[in-house]
Amino acid sequence: MSIRLYVDSPLAAGTTLALPPGAARHVQVRRLQPGHALLLFDGGGAEWPAEVLAMGRSEVTVRVGEPQAVERELPFTATLAVGMPANDRMDALVEKATELGVAAIQPLVCERSVLRLDGERAERKQAHWQAVAVAACEQCGRTRVPRVEPVRPLAAWLGALSSSQDLGTRLLLSPRPGARPLAERLPAGAGFCTLSGPEGGLSPAEEAAAEAAGFAAVGLGPRVLRADTAPLAVLGWAGLRV
């Protein structure tokens, strides 16, 4: 299988390109040599065959071939708005959500969040998670990289949403008894945005604010799923129904 690498700039057939540092390191670690083939993608929905022309100590030069249209996306748009789980669980959530076809991930700080980020630390984490999404795309074959949005407080994010904003079906993942089964709320093939809480869940006030913003409470069965499991369960279930 060819090495697939993401290039964060528009590609053009017939051009000679010095790979960005991360991609160049990957080629060097894999010990490719001049004449070896690889695949590039720039997030625009195509794969670009390329050939290694030269290997330097820190630079790799390739010739870009003709693009090949590739469609490996879900036939609907899925957004996960998540109260960030702590430790490395957010990294795993971003990776697996990318593999399952998510279009965008909105990290949130909630009342019960263990992981609290703001300022420069939040920006560094966003950049790290975006890199995790890129690496997952390189592995799974996607040619469009999902967006990892800037970290926001839940209240501010809900307050900025408008009723006309096209998020698809708005789903609030909730363990409370009154939540309806997911299958009753989400038609097959429909786009959606799920909102889920951190390890301690969303507070009653946060759930009420979400419902006021158009989110309908849904349950995922009799077991309590972890903060990083619940949104992935919805994404996988929805993707397998099309």
Side-chain angles (χ1 to χ4, degrees):
M1 181 172 138
S2 296
I3 295 176
R4 299 180 75 255
L5 297 172
Y6 174 68
V7 176
D8 188 18
S9 59
L11 295 169
T15 58
T16 299
L17 172 71
L19 293 179
R25 282 195 299 273
H26 195 132
V27 170
Q28 290 167 330
V29 167
R30 293 292 295 271
R31 300 180 183 275
L32 269 63
Q33 297 298 321
H36 282 177
L38 64 157
L39 288 174
L40 305 178
F41 65 102
D42 60 6
E47 288 181 336
W48 303 72
E51 178 186 354
V52 177
L53 294 180
M55 300 281 293
R57 294 190 63 180
S58 60
E59 187 174 276
V60 176
T61 304
V62 301
R63 179 184 292 113
V64 182
E66 294 293 331
Q68 302 169 349
V70 174
E71 187 53 65
R72 299 190 179 106
E73 299 303 304
L74 293 173
F76 54 83
T77 299
T79 300
L80 304 184
V82 294
M84 299 174 293
N87 302 318
D88 295 330
R89 292 184 183 275
M90 187 65 181
D91 286 25
L93 190 157
V94 171
E95 179 183 78
K96 301 311 176 188
T98 300
E99 292 176 22
L100 290 169
V102 74
I105 299 171
Q106 174 61 66
L108 298 169
V109 178
C110 307
E111 288 183 24
R112 298 170 178 170
S113 290
V114 175
L115 180 60
R116 293 185 173 275
L117 301 172
D118 58 18
E120 187 176 319
R121 186 168 173 236
E123 292 174 3
R124 288 198 303 268
K125 275 294 189 181
Q126 179 197 2
H128 168 74
W129 291 325
Q130 190 66 69
V132 170
V134 166
C137 285
E138 291 176 337
Q139 180 275 323
C140 74
R142 290 184 66 178
T143 56
R144 300 185 186 276
V145 180
R147 303 183 313 279
V148 180
E149 304 288 0
V151 177
R152 301 193 66 183
L154 172 59
W157 180 71
L158 287 174
L161 293 179
S162 66
S163 58
S164 61
Q165 191 167 340
D166 186 16
L167 290 173
T169 303
R170 301 185 184 193
L171 303 171
L172 168 63
L173 306 189
S174 174
R176 71 178 192 244
R180 300 281 294 279
L182 177 61
E184 295 181 10
R185 295 285 194 187
L186 185 61
F192 64 90
C193 173
T194 63
L195 170 58
S196 56
E199 289 85 348
L202 297 175
S203 70
E206 288 174 324
E207 289 207 2
E211 291 181 315
F215 287 81
V218 296
L220 300 180
R223 294 172 300 282
V224 177
L225 303 184
R226 289 185 180 273
D228 52 319
T229 304
L232 295 177
V234 176
L235 185 57
W237 176 81
L240 290 172
R241 297 176 77 208
V242 297

